[in-house]
Amino acid sequence: MSEMNTQQPTTYLGRTGVEVSRLCLGTMMFGDWGNKDHEDSIRIIRRAIDSGINFIDSADIYAYGESEEILGKAIAEHGRREDLVIATKFFNGMKEQPNYRGGSRRWIMQSVEDSLRRLGTDYIDLYQMHRPDEHTDIDETLRALDDLVRQGKVRYVGSSTFQPSQVVEAQWAARENHTSRFVTEQPPYSLLARGIEADLLPTTHRHNMGTLVWSPLAGGWLSGKYRKGQELPTARRGSEKDPFDLNDPKTAAKFDAADQLGALADDLGVPLVHLALAFVLRHPGVTSAIIGPRTMEQLESQLEAASLELDEATLNRIDEIVPPGTNVDPGDAGFSNYWLDSERRR
């Protein structure tokens, strides 16, 4: 295996012809949900751009628009909007009142204008549906998004955390109705959550979609801090559940796997963060890994990961710790199947 200190490697975003960095900068931690210092957040964004990252992902729901506003300030300071591939998302409720959420034409037409204003740009490179909407026909959503593409406000459209059947349905609907299709999907994927290997990644690959994976560090479990013999972090203030309760079998299993992966990284002489990011980027169906730093230190610790190459022996050892196509904790799948709720079944 080898590790080189180079500018960020790039690849193509599905079959769009657009070239993006293998590391995509996620902005969820900029603003009230994480780093509340706007200037510091902008410095982190600028450092990422200077390192060669040209792909930045946001969402209207991140800090209820504040994250997009911070990104907009950083874009303005950068001064070369055309060098960047900016992605954002819609779907989650922005207000408690009705009709400020979902995949309806009504909401899409309003939410895109709000995001454009906050980002300070006249177009969005990749506009993504943050979650599937059981209350709206996918045809309606795609027709509205197609209008935005034709108007030049959006270059491409994508989905996030769709199930394989929903990905296929959306592709079929776009073909049937001659509208723009989802060119990307954004699922969770990490050393501890490998469920998408079984069906979703083969599905996106068959449809020539780019796949941008979120939570590649498994919500911090692969940061290197979760090791046996070390003190575990405490639950966040106001949290109803301790995410590090080792009396929970699923949490204990995740902790054991994270410790074994940390030991593997130690044997290889690399940070666990690098091993985790290199692993998800190694899959041929993955385009980019979305990193979500809150601090400059966290960003710096991840920048060189895309240049790390993993050999077969390392990959085989990873498979022994976490079998392919499985999630150590089923709750990390990113999709809660509401059809299994008791009120839906009875």
Side-chain angles (χ1 to χ4, degrees):
M1 55 196 311
S2 61
E3 190 167 12
M4 299 174 59
N5 185 14
T6 62
Q7 282 288 91
Q8 293 298 320
T10 61
T11 190
Y12 287 103
L13 186 65
R15 294 287 295 172
T16 65
V18 176
E19 199 167 349
V20 295
S21 50
R22 299 296 320 270
L23 292 181
C24 173
L25 179 67
T27 62
M28 188 174 74
M29 288 292 100
F30 300 145
D32 189 55
W33 292 7
N35 190 337
K36 299 181 181 182
D37 186 329
H38 284 209
E39 291 305 316
D40 188 48
S41 296
I42 290 170
R43 283 192 291 270
I44 295 170
I45 296 171
R46 290 299 307 274
R47 171 66 181 114
I49 295 172
D50 290 343
S51 78
I53 291 177
N54 75 335
F55 198 11
I56 306 177
D57 179 72
S58 191
D60 55 3
I61 194 62
Y62 295 165
Y64 292 96
E66 186 183 2
S67 173
E68 285 185 326
E69 291 175 353
I70 293 171
L71 176 56
K73 294 176 185 177
I75 293 172
E77 288 190 13
H78 177 60
R80 296 193 303 278
R81 167 68 180 88
E82 65 277 7
D83 291 348
L84 304 175
V85 179
I86 302 298
T88 194
K89 299 183 283 292
F90 69 93
F91 171 78
N92 289 289
M94 294 296 286
K95 293 183 179 181
E96 293 184 0
Q97 297 96 315
N99 299 315
Y100 287 89
R101 61 183 59 80
S104 69
R105 170 179 290 273
R106 174 189 172 108
W107 175 235
I108 288 171
M109 293 304 177
Q110 179 175 338
S111 64
V112 73
E113 296 297 339
D114 293 341
S115 287
L116 288 169
R117 172 178 48 78
R118 288 189 291 260
L119 290 167
T121 183
D122 56 4
Y123 70 96
I124 295 166
D125 293 283
L126 178 63
Y127 199 42
Q128 303 157 100
M129 189 174 185
H130 212 153
R131 292 293 188 274
D133 184 356
E134 64 166 319
H135 302 294
T136 307
D137 283 342
I138 192 64
D139 305 60
E140 158 133 349
T141 299
L142 289 170
R143 289 183 189 278
L145 292 172
D146 184 64
D147 285 345
L148 295 182
V149 172
R150 293 175 185 275
Q151 293 168 12
K153 295 179 179 180
V154 169
R155 297 291 190 257
Y156 303 98
V157 296
S159 58
S160 175
T161 321
F162 274 43
Q163 295 301 284
S165 63
Q166 294 166 326
V167 170
V168 174
E169 180 185 8
Q171 294 291 316
W172 178 87
R175 182 176 299 178
E176 183 76 5
N177 297 318
H178 305 289
T179 62
S180 298
R181 71 183 184 96
F182 290 144
V183 299
T184 59
E185 162 58 18
Q186 188 179 130
Y189 184 42
S190 72
L191 283 165
L192 298 178
R194 301 180 59 178
I196 67 170
E197 294 173 345
D199 195 3
L200 181 67
L201 280 173
T203 299
T204 58
H205 183 71
R206 285 197 305 272
H207 289 283
N208 295 317
M209 299 173 70
T211 305
L212 329 171
V213 298
W214 56 267
S215 200
L217 300 184
W221 278 95
L222 299 172
S223 64
K225 299 177 181 178
Y226 303 87
R227 301 293 300 277
K228 293 180 179 178
Q230 297 181 8
E231 184 178 355
L232 288 176
T234 57
R236 292 182 180 179
R237 183 183 305 174
S239 176
E240 297 180 356
K241 179 183 177 182
D242 182 359
F244 314 113
D245 179 9
L246 298 184
N247 292 317
D248 182 336
K250 296 187 293 294
T251 304
K254 188 186 296 187
F255 179 61
D256 183 63
D259 183 69
Q260 291 186 61
L261 292 166
L264 174 60
D266 291 343
D267 291 343
L268 298 172
V270 299
L272 178 55
V273 167
H274 287 197
L275 176 65
L277 291 171
F279 170 78
V280 298
L281 292 173
R282 180 70 166 73
H283 196 290
V286 171
T287 304
S288 299
I290 301 173
I291 59 174
R294 180 177 52 83
T295 67
M296 186 70 77
E297 180 183 11
Q298 290 174 349
L299 173 67
E300 294 289 354
S301 72
Q302 300 174 50
L303 286 178
E304 296 181 12
S307 299
L308 176 64
E309 298 179 3
L310 305 180
D311 58 27
E312 288 298 316
T314 300
L315 295 171
N316 290 338
R317 177 62 184 129
I318 290 171
D319 289 347
E320 293 173 359
I321 298 171
V322 181
T326 65
N327 295 328
V328 176
D329 181 352
D332 291 336
F335 176 82
S336 179
N337 192 344
Y338 41 77
W339 292 109
L340 294 180
D341 293 344
S342 60
E343 60 269 23
R344 299 293 186 103
R345 295 183 285 105
R346 299 170 183 160

